Amino acid sequence: MRTYLPFIVYFCFILLVFFHTRSWQRYTDWGKRLTIISFLVYVTAVMWLCLTPAHVDVPSAQKILFHFHGVPYNAIPFQGFSVEYFLNIVMTFPLGVYIFLFNYRTPFESAILYGFCFSLFIECNQFIWDYFLNLQRLADIDDLITNTLGAVIGFSLMLILYQNGWQKFLQRFMIIQH
């Protein structure tokens, strides 16, 4: 049960922030509420996937790992091709969509930084919580790169859609309007 502590802590924090910001009362349109609720579900799913013991064993490339007090980590990028790269991109693609929906005026460089910081948060937490609770998770430079790439692809797609005739449709779901 203690191995689920990181997830429980962050899930409670997410709920606290949600209720404290009063987002539900502030945004009454169905599209904006859908954005907020789906974002909460998304973040919860990512935290479950990344901060609980691994439930699914995905084949990974053979990697030379380093250890810090018994905690493994990968600091050498792209030691071999792995399906994990694709899965990380798929996992963080929605993050890029949400970055756009929460503020469509976000500069591209900032979207990259947000994706990187989100990924860094995940990887650092995997390392720290593995140190304290032995979650059997791996902090991996490849994940940092591919997670950031996924967010950038999601954000880029939203920019392309917005600039090519989808403005009216997307505005229903955007938190910050013109």
Side-chain angles (χ1 to χ4, degrees):
M1 182 64 181
R2 71 185 182 104
T3 55
Y4 291 88
L5 183 63
F7 171 75
I8 293 167
V9 167
Y10 287 118
F11 180 71
C12 291
F13 178 75
I14 290 166
L15 288 179
L16 181 69
V17 168
F18 172 71
F19 288 113
H20 181 71
T21 60
R22 302 185 193 279
S23 299
W24 198 251
Q25 291 85 10
R26 197 173 337 151
Y27 301 106
T28 57
D29 297 345
W30 68 269
K32 291 171 183 31
R33 283 190 169 181
L34 180 63
T35 298
I36 292 166
I37 292 299
S38 64
F39 178 71
L40 291 173
V41 170
Y42 169 72
V43 171
T44 300
V46 169
M47 292 299 129
W48 178 264
L49 286 170
C50 298
L51 296 177
T52 61
H55 300 286
V56 178
D57 191 24
V58 177
S60 180
Q62 291 289 84
K63 299 177 181 180
I64 299 169
L65 300 179
F66 298 92
H67 291 79
F68 176 80
H69 294 282
V71 178
Y73 65 94
N74 175 30
I76 303 171
F78 303 115
Q79 294 182 45
F81 180 76
S82 172
V83 70
E84 283 181 87
Y85 300 156
F86 175 73
L87 295 175
N88 283 332
I89 291 170
V90 169
M91 179 183 76
T92 54
F93 177 89
L95 176 64
V97 172
Y98 288 117
I99 291 169
F100 181 87
L101 291 176
F102 279 108
N103 186 355
Y104 77 99
R105 295 181 193 132
T106 301
F108 190 76
E109 297 80 14
S110 295
I112 295 169
L113 182 62
Y114 294 150
F116 176 80
C117 288
F118 185 79
S119 181
L120 186 62
F121 173 80
I122 291 169
E123 297 306 312
C124 287
N125 270 278
Q126 286 180 332
F127 183 84
I128 291 166
W129 287 108
D130 194 51
Y131 178 77
F132 289 111
L133 298 176
N134 192 24
L135 291 183
Q136 299 297 309
R137 305 304 300 211
L138 177 67
D140 193 336
I141 188 72
D142 295 338
D143 294 353
L144 186 65
I145 296 166
T146 54
N147 289 346
T148 303
L149 180 61
V152 168
I153 292 170
F155 186 80
S156 299
L157 177 65
M158 294 303 287
L159 278 176
I160 291 167
L161 290 174
Y162 188 77
Q163 294 170 353
N164 289 291
W166 288 79
Q167 289 176 350
K168 189 171 182 164
F169 175 77
L170 292 175
Q171 284 175 351
R172 294 178 188 160
F173 304 97
M174 291 167 42
I175 301 301
I176 293 183
Q177 297 286 325
H178 291 340

